[in-house]
């Protein structure tokens, strides 16, 4: 999963993401215009669920991506044969510039 997720108006955003990954030990992080956003790198728990949360300042027209920091990984689209959402991301604007 990479994105891009869109172009944003300037402001402070709360970003939350969750992934259902197959491989253990695969950290992910958010990037703005190809630059790592500090404090956004997270790794999954022992059950393969990775959750990240950050409050970041974005500038007008920033392009955000969510990237695997350690190579390719697969997302689980089913658990016990039942289809599930493999990834989600929420952008909430807290303030404007």
């Amino acid at each position: 999963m990479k994105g891009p997720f869109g172009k944003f108006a300037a402001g402070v955003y709360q970003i939350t993401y969750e992934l259902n990954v197959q491989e253990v030990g695969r950290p992910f992080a958010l990037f703005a215009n190809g630059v790592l956003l500090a404090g956004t790198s997270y790794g999954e728990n022992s059950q393969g669920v990775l959750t990240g949360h950050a409050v970041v300042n974005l500038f007008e027209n920033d392009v955000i991506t969510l990237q695997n920091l350690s190579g390719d990984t697969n997302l689980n689209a089913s658990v016990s044969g039942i289809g599930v959402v493999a990834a989600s991301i929420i952008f909430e604007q807290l303030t404007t510039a």
Side-chain angles (χ1 to χ4, degrees), residues 40-80:
T40 67
S41 302
Y42 286 88
E44 81 278 3
N45 65 26
S46 61
Q47 298 168 341
V49 177
L50 182 147
T51 302
H53 175 85
V55 176
V56 297
N57 187 33
L58 299 180
F59 298 97
E60 187 173 351
N61 296 320
D62 275 353
V63 176
I64 306 304
T65 56
L66 177 60
Q67 298 182 31
N68 184 334
L69 299 178
S70 63
D72 292 335
T73 192
N74 295 312
L75 300 180
N76 284 331
S78 69
V79 175
S80 300

